[in-house]
Amino acid sequence: MSKEAHFGCYYAVFKNEKATRFVLESFRNHFPENPILLISDGGDDFSHLAKEFNCGYKQLHNIFEPQEEMYCSVRMLEYWRRLKLSVDFCNKDYLMILEDDVYIRNYFEIDKHFDLCGSRLGAKFSTTVKEDIRSTTHKDVDIYGMCGGSIFNTDVFNKIYDDVILDIIDNHDEKIKNEVDDWCSLGSTDSSITYHFHKRGYEYQANPWMIEVRENRKWKNTDHPIVHEYKEKY
């Protein structure tokens, strides 16, 4: 893989220009050429930052409002569509999810194959969701955690994309409506990615390049190139 081109980035932003500038600056310090698709989620116009930091740019509507639609299939379908836009725009082997609390402090290379990797301290799937995954894969899973700093394999994403879209259309709302406590986590974007990869036999693992602030009070003394939950620019 090329030192500069093994992954691209999806970065949804809203109204925090200070944080967005910091994230892009820290990323570009170590990855000057890797493609980024910057998407304003119904927020401010960040086209000037996209130009300054050589990013693609989309000004789209807000998918996190209104609150009563937070868990609906319409929102989740749009989220997957935006991931697809980013995968196609970047056209790389992997895609990283950037967020306003991600700090890139060193270069790293993706030197091994994986399906998706995220937080070590992810939230737990409900028993119902775990049983649903086990029923098709015969594998036991526990957590999801595709937060900022997480990375997924774009070839896998493209292989499952159409089936995931149909699955969300046919089943998402019904599951949450009938068993909201068991299935509401599917309304979370990081849960949705993990669930649908798992459901189709792909493996989630901890991101070896990432540390979270809550994970280690002395995170500043570690050598992980990706830091998640970095709130100093909020």
Side-chain angles (χ1 to χ4, degrees):
M1 296 181 184
S2 164
K3 280 179 70 65
E4 294 293 348
H6 51 290
F7 70 95
C9 297
Y10 158 80
Y11 186 8
V13 294
F14 188 51
K15 289 181 177 291
N16 190 340
E17 181 169 340
K18 179 181 178 182
T20 302
R21 175 175 290 279
F22 174 80
V23 172
L24 293 174
E25 282 181 343
S26 69
F27 185 87
R28 284 289 181 234
N29 283 340
H30 306 289
F31 298 97
E33 303 297 332
N34 290 47
I36 302 170
L37 184 58
L38 190 67
I39 298 178
S40 179
D41 183 37
D44 294 339
D45 182 351
F46 288 86
S47 58
H48 60 293
L49 289 185
K51 183 177 181 180
E52 180 178 349
F53 292 99
N54 190 27
C55 306
Y57 184 70
K58 297 284 186 181
Q59 183 82 33
L60 301 177
H61 66 278
N62 190 303
I63 60 172
F64 291 96
E65 297 290 345
Q67 289 294 316
E68 60 268 19
E69 297 178 7
M70 280 286 286
Y71 298 110
C72 74
S73 61
V74 172
R75 171 179 172 268
M76 194 54 63
L77 287 167
E78 178 61 16
Y79 178 73
W80 277 81
R81 187 181 79 85
R82 294 181 186 188
L83 290 180
K84 178 64 172 168
L85 283 174
S86 302
V87 167
D88 291 347
F89 172 83
C90 295
N91 193 30
K92 300 302 175 188
D93 296 327
Y94 292 89
L95 192 79
M96 177 191 286
I97 300 170
L98 289 177
E99 293 177 350
D100 283 349
D101 61 351
V102 172
Y103 172 23
I104 305 298
R105 55 183 181 170
N106 210 341
Y107 175 82
F108 66 94
E109 291 191 46
I110 296 177
D111 53 4
K112 59 182 178 180
H113 172 87
F114 60 88
D115 300 326
L116 70 170
C117 63
S119 171
R120 292 177 189 79
L121 305 177
K124 290 185 179 294
F125 281 122
S126 71
T127 300
T128 299
V129 173
K130 289 190 285 188
E131 289 176 349
D132 181 65
I133 294 170
R134 189 185 303 115
S135 71
T136 57
T137 66
H138 306 292
K139 295 179 180 179
D140 292 320
V141 302
D142 192 27
I143 66 170
Y144 60 90
M146 291 298 289
C147 55
S150 300
I151 306 170
F152 63 80
N153 184 301
T154 58
D155 183 55
V156 172
F157 179 91
N158 283 325
K159 285 177 181 177
I160 70 174
Y161 179 76
D162 288 340
D163 188 53
V164 170
I165 294 302
L166 289 175
D167 192 350
I168 294 172
I169 291 171
D170 291 342
N171 301 306
H172 182 96
D173 290 333
E174 193 68 19
K175 285 176 176 176
I176 292 177
K177 176 182 176 182
N178 291 337
E179 298 178 85
V180 63
D181 291 339
D182 291 331
W183 289 101
C184 66
S185 69
L186 289 193
S188 165
T189 54
D190 57 337
S191 170
S192 181
I193 300 172
T194 314
Y195 168 78
H196 286 292
F197 270 65
H198 268 315
K199 182 82 175 187
R200 288 150 185 87
Y202 297 100
E203 299 286 342
Y204 173 89
Q205 63 187 61
N207 185 339
W209 304 285
M210 183 174 75
I211 191 167
E212 295 186 278
V213 172
R214 62 181 166 143
E215 192 175 343
N216 186 338
R217 290 183 298 173
K218 297 182 179 180
W219 63 267
K220 291 182 180 180
N221 298 325
T222 70
D223 59 1
H224 297 82
I226 307 170
V227 179
H228 179 234
E229 302 176 330
Y230 183 80
K231 306 294 187 181
E232 293 183 24
K233 301 300 178 180
Y234 262 40

